[in-house]
Amino acid sequence: MNELKNYMEDLVDIHLKKLLEEYKDICKCHKCILDIKAMALNNLKPRYGATQRGNVFIRIDESTNESNVKIISEIIKAIETVSKNPHNGDK
């Protein structure tokens, strides 16, 4: 059985993991990471898929350079915003 899924979440996760390695001095607690992801996703167009075929088309479309630049740009903006008001390890 297929489920409805926003594949933009997967793409943000992939890029966020790479980008966080470049930001050594920011809070990386669970709450800050969730804030960053939420802010980025709120500014990106969702990419929902429900069938295996639809999921393949979504992944191909989102692998373009233009899409990646937009995703990375929104994540960087979110990192900069959250890092100005971090949770500092709150649980």
Side-chain angles (χ1 to χ4, degrees):
M1 180 170 94
N2 292 319
E3 294 182 23
L4 186 63
K5 176 158 179 62
N6 179 3
Y7 280 91
M8 186 59 74
E9 290 184 42
D10 292 344
L11 295 167
V12 167
D13 283 339
I14 290 165
H15 289 292
L16 179 59
K17 184 177 179 183
K18 293 175 189 174
L19 286 168
L20 285 175
E21 293 173 6
E22 298 176 26
Y23 288 86
K24 304 292 183 198
D25 297 330
I26 66 166
C27 181
K28 296 176 185 168
C29 74
H30 185 68
K31 286 184 178 181
C32 284
I33 299 298
L34 288 179
D35 285 349
I36 292 167
K37 287 172 61 173
M39 290 181 81
L41 286 166
N42 281 333
N43 291 309
L44 292 164
K45 184 179 176 185
R47 293 288 186 210
Y48 285 98
T51 65
Q52 186 62 32
R53 184 175 177 205
N55 296 344
V56 170
F57 287 126
I58 289 166
R59 289 185 181 274
I60 290 169
D61 178 54
E62 290 305 326
S63 68
T64 65
N65 284 337
E66 183 179 341
S67 294
N68 287 328
V69 167
K70 176 70 173 159
I71 293 166
I72 291 167
S73 174
E74 291 301 333
I75 293 170
I76 290 171
K77 284 194 270 184
I79 288 171
E80 291 173 357
T81 300
V82 172
S83 69
K84 291 176 185 171
N85 189 23
H87 290 281
N88 291 320
D90 289 350
K91 299 205 181 220

